[in-house]
Amino acid sequence: MARDMDRTLIFDLDGTLVDSAPDLLEATNAVLAALGRTLIDPATLRHMVGFGARSLITQAMTATGAPPVESDMPRLLEIFLDHYRDHIADHSTVFPGVIETLAGLKAQGVRLGLLTNKPHDMTLSLLPLLKLDGYFEAVYGAGRMAYAKPDPRIFADVVRDVGGGAAVMIGDSVTDLMTGRAAGAPVILVDYGYTPESAASLGADAVTGDFREIPALARRLLG
């Protein structure tokens, strides 16, 4: 049976640790407003999050008219990222149970890593604003490497940097599930995130609606 110090928990960010949808919504609507499009509402956006800014813009534009032309994407990304960078934590909040659970795991010697498809520089900016810095031995956002989730290489990078150990992927979406499966790691999904499909339907090893249950679930899956 693995000791706590031999366990490694790798967490997704948006939809798992942080409800960032309100600020992502405003950045997305900044793009739509610049194009004279109808703005989208929070319920529509929540099912678009989790696949990166390019995908979010594409989905939002498709939902409000013609999809983007590829040659326009650099300008649209610039609008989105400039707005989001300036308002990254205006309305984002940490989900219930996250801070105390991470603190408890850290105190027990569990290795913690963060693996997100949010741009790496923005991830590093957001964590201290929401008091989530200091918990993770390694943080990997999009752009830190030439590959991203669900590529198993980036999962291996995070596990290596936190010191190894039996690892579990914890997230909210099919991307997180695919990452864990590709890496040969068990997967825990939270069911309050942004996935358009229900978390329970994705085939994870465990699903929970309470973040505080994650330590016990990880202990069961990792032995």
Side-chain angles (χ1 to χ4, degrees):
M1 179 175 291
R3 300 172 300 168
D4 284 338
M5 66 183 63
D6 295 325
R7 297 188 180 96
T8 296
L9 274 59
I10 307 299
F11 293 92
D12 172 52
L13 181 60
D14 298 312
T16 302
L17 303 180
V18 174
D19 185 3
S20 52
D23 293 315
L24 290 169
L25 175 67
E26 292 195 355
T28 303
N29 278 335
V31 174
L32 297 175
L35 298 171
R37 297 282 187 97
T38 301
L39 305 186
I40 59 173
D41 59 32
T44 300
L45 175 109
R46 291 186 73 86
H47 298 310
M48 298 178 175
V49 178
F51 305 97
R54 178 181 290 269
S55 174
L56 185 52
I57 292 168
T58 299
Q59 291 180 80
M61 289 186 64
T62 301
T64 57
V69 176
E70 182 58 33
S71 60
D72 290 339
M73 188 58 76
R75 178 175 64 92
L76 302 179
L77 279 168
E78 183 177 7
I79 295 170
F80 179 94
L81 294 174
D82 283 349
H83 188 285
Y84 188 54
R85 189 176 287 109
D86 291 340
H87 302 278
I88 195 168
D90 285 4
H91 305 292
S92 295
T93 56
V94 180
F95 284 115
V98 167
I99 294 291
E100 54 266 45
T101 300
L102 293 178
L105 289 166
K106 188 80 170 176
Q108 294 163 23
V110 179
R111 299 183 180 100
L112 306 178
L114 185 68
L115 176 56
T116 173
N117 279 347
K118 182 187 288 295
H120 187 67
D121 63 326
M122 294 187 179
T123 299
L124 295 181
S125 297
L126 179 63
L127 293 178
L129 294 174
L130 296 180
K131 296 181 171 52
L132 286 172
D133 55 325
Y135 292 110
F136 305 104
E137 284 87 357
V139 174
Y140 275 72
R144 177 166 177 177
M145 306 300 288
Y147 41 87
K149 293 187 299 183
D151 192 310
R153 291 177 292 174
I154 201 161
F155 185 85
D157 291 339
V158 181
V159 173
R160 178 199 64 223
D161 285 1
V162 303
V168 59
M169 180 72 213
I170 300 155
D172 71 307
S173 72
V174 68
T175 303
D176 300 310
L177 179 74
M178 292 169 60
T179 302
R181 290 288 179 258
V187 178
I188 300 171
L189 293 180
V190 297
D191 67 5
Y192 51 73
Y194 302 145
T195 178
E197 312 92 344
S198 69
S201 72
L202 296 178
D205 298 285
V207 178
T208 181
D210 187 342
F211 194 87
R212 290 162 291 197
E213 293 180 349
I214 286 174
L217 293 172
R219 191 175 298 113
R220 174 171 64 82
L221 292 173
L222 295 176

